[in-house]
Amino acid sequence: MLPSDTTAAELEQPLALVEDQLTSLGRAMMSNDALALEAAASELHRALASAVDHFRVAARRGAVPAPLRRRLAHASARVAAQRESLARATAALDRAIDVLMPGA
């Protein structure tokens, strides 16, 4: 196995886990299940931390294959989109609470 193949194999698993956790988080957000959402967010956080560590080590060796960089960038964009969606939902909830409980 060539060094770049080794790096790709080392990065594939943590990146796939991030992608899976993003999907789980999306499902939890759509289900409106607060406990599932909290669990999915925690798992995504752990997966992201692990993936960042793996990519940092690979980058120091100068060996992050372009397809994996693109997938990581796509995962980053999905995180940003989910963060924005959650912010909009939070703002809507805050407005609803303000209407129902003025001055609270």
Side-chain angles (χ1 to χ4, degrees):
M1 189 179 290
L2 298 172
S4 63
D5 293 339
T6 301
T7 300
E10 291 170 356
L11 296 175
E12 175 63 35
Q13 190 274 334
L15 183 53
L17 185 58
V18 167
E19 292 166 337
D20 291 346
Q21 293 304 325
L22 280 165
T23 299
S24 294
L25 182 63
R27 283 190 200 119
M29 289 173 73
M30 292 182 70
S31 74
N32 294 320
D33 180 344
L35 293 176
L37 183 58
E38 183 67 29
S42 293
E43 289 300 318
L44 176 59
H45 185 266
R46 278 191 280 280
L48 283 168
S50 176
V52 166
D53 286 343
H54 281 84
F55 273 80
R56 184 180 9 241
V57 169
R60 282 189 199 129
R61 295 186 305 210
V64 178
L68 290 175
R69 275 190 307 230
R70 284 190 294 274
R71 281 178 56 198
L72 184 62
H74 183 258
S76 177
R78 286 178 64 192
V79 168
Q82 286 184 340
R83 185 183 315 122
E84 179 63 28
S85 177
L86 188 56
R88 283 192 305 271
T90 300
L93 179 59
D94 289 344
R95 287 190 301 274
I97 288 172
D98 287 344
V99 168
L100 295 172
M101 300 170 46

